[in-house]
């Protein structure tokens, strides 16, 4: 039972363009959503988060959008840089407890 | 500000042996989590502590797995009688209990069971 799904295993984007990573969830009790970035042989690094009471959160080049009615969130990276190439995980939490992760999307930014 | 640290970074063991991993959280964080990640998947929750109390354990945590956080600081995860299916990356994360939705991860321990 996958409660958090990232349906695109990989995404390739040209440097300077926008990267859009998508995530869907099924559990309506999730109240907080997070994006993590992971390089090989390292642990996930926290990137940006959003509470279920908001629909947008922005931090520099990174913006997360939440559509509660559709149970969908997305991460926008503008402009994309080669250093953004990594695996991106979407995660959700219920009342600040354990995180439930998607399977990840591999982002490749081509220069 | 030191982040979450884990030791060892890599462990190769033979099937049937016991292994123990250590996690040191960020010093002011009172919650500590263990996750397991296999190839092509996201991290999966195993267990978590608030201070020294173990508050939740996943069904993934069979009776061969045990975790402790004796003084509410570092934590250990032990796997007894390892099996090849235990081969994975074991990740530790920490957070604040109040308002601490963001969890900060260590570099992980890569376990290979031969």
């Amino acid at each position: 039972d996958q409660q958090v799904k990232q349906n695109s295993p990989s995404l390739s984007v040209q440097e300077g363009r926008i990267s859009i990573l998508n995530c869907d969830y099924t559990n309506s009790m999730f109240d907080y959503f997070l994006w993590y970035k992971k390089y090989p042989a390292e642990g996930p690094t926290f990137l940006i988060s959003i509470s279920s009471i908001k629909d947008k959160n922005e931090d520099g080049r990174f913006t997360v959008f939440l559509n509660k009615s559709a149970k969908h969130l997305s991460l926008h990276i503008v402009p994309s840089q080669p250093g953004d190439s990594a695996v991106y995980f979407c995660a959700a939490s219920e009342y600040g407890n354990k995180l439930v992760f998607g399977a990840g999307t591999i982002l490749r930014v081509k220069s | 500000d030191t982040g979450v640290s884990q030791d060892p970074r890599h462990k190769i063991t033979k099937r049937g042996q016991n292994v123990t991993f250590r996690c040191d959280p960020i010093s002011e964080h009172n919650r500590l989590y263990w996750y397991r990640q296999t190839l092509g998947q996201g991290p999966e929750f195993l267990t978590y502590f608030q201070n020294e109390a173990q508050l939740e354990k996943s069904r993934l945590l069979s009776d061969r797995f045990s975790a402790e956080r004796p003084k509410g600081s570092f934590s250990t995860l032990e796997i007894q009688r390892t099996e090849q299916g235990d081969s994975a990356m074991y990740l530790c994360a920490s957070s604040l209990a109040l308002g601490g939705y963001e969890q900060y991860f260590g570099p992980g321990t890569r376990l290979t069971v031969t």
Side-chain angles (χ1 to χ4, degrees), chain B residues 38-51:
Chain B
T38 53
L39 198 62
Q41 300 297 318
E44 293 178 293
F45 169 77
L46 293 178
T47 188
Y48 90 94
F49 294 83
Q50 182 161 314
N51 300 313

Side-chain angles (χ1 to χ4, degrees), chain A residues 10-19 79-86 88 106-111:
Chain A
S10 65
L11 174 67
S12 186
V13 171
Q14 199 67 33
E15 181 180 6
R17 306 295 291 268
I18 185 171
S19 296
S80 301
Q81 299 173 353
D84 296 329
S85 297
Y88 287 79
I106 300 170
L107 174 65
R108 295 188 186 92
V109 180
K110 299 176 289 186
S111 55

Side-chain angles (χ1 to χ4, degrees), chain A residues 7-101:
Chain A
N7 292 318
S8 298
S10 65
L11 174 67
S12 186
V13 171
Q14 199 67 33
E15 181 180 6
R17 306 295 291 268
I18 185 171
S19 296
I20 300 176
L21 297 101
N22 294 303
C23 178
D24 297 293
Y25 63 96
T26 57
N27 185 348
S28 57
M29 300 301 291
F30 287 144
D31 61 352
Y32 207 79
F33 303 89
L34 307 93
W35 285 94
Y36 285 83
K37 175 180 175 179
K38 187 178 184 303
Y39 293 117
E42 294 184 11
T45 300
F46 169 71
L47 203 53
I48 193 169
S49 60
I50 187 167
S51 163
S52 61
I53 63 172
K54 296 186 175 182
D55 55 18
K56 178 182 173 180
N57 188 27
E58 192 171 352
D59 183 2
R61 297 186 296 115
F62 302 91
T63 303
V64 56
F65 295 91
L66 175 62
N67 182 334
K68 282 182 63 179
S69 60
K71 293 191 176 69
H72 178 84
L73 64 155
S74 61
L75 174 68
H76 292 210
I77 306 174
V78 183
S80 301
Q81 299 173 353
D84 296 329
S85 297
V87 181
Y88 287 79
F89 291 99
C90 168
S93 172
E94 187 179 335
Y95 306 128
N97 294 320
K98 66 188 178 190
L99 295 179
V100 180
F101 284 85

Side-chain angles (χ1 to χ4, degrees), chain B residues 41-104:
Chain B
Q41 300 297 318
E44 293 178 293
F45 169 77
L46 293 178
T47 188
Y48 90 94
F49 294 83
Q50 182 161 314
N51 300 313
E52 63 274 9
Q54 189 171 18
L55 295 187
E56 187 176 350
K57 293 195 293 186
S58 163
R59 291 170 299 171
L60 294 175
L61 214 64
S62 77
D63 56 5
R64 296 185 297 105
F65 288 70
S66 63
E68 292 184 342
R69 194 182 182 197
K71 295 182 180 178
S73 56
F74 72 92
S75 174
T76 58
L77 178 69
E78 181 183 17
I79 309 174
Q80 296 183 326
R81 306 181 303 281
T82 52
E83 301 172 356
Q84 286 189 320
D86 297 331
S87 295
M89 174 75 85
Y90 289 83
L91 294 162
C92 176
S94 69
S95 74
L96 292 167
L98 289 179
Y101 285 78
E102 289 84 14
Q103 295 180 19
Y104 295 88

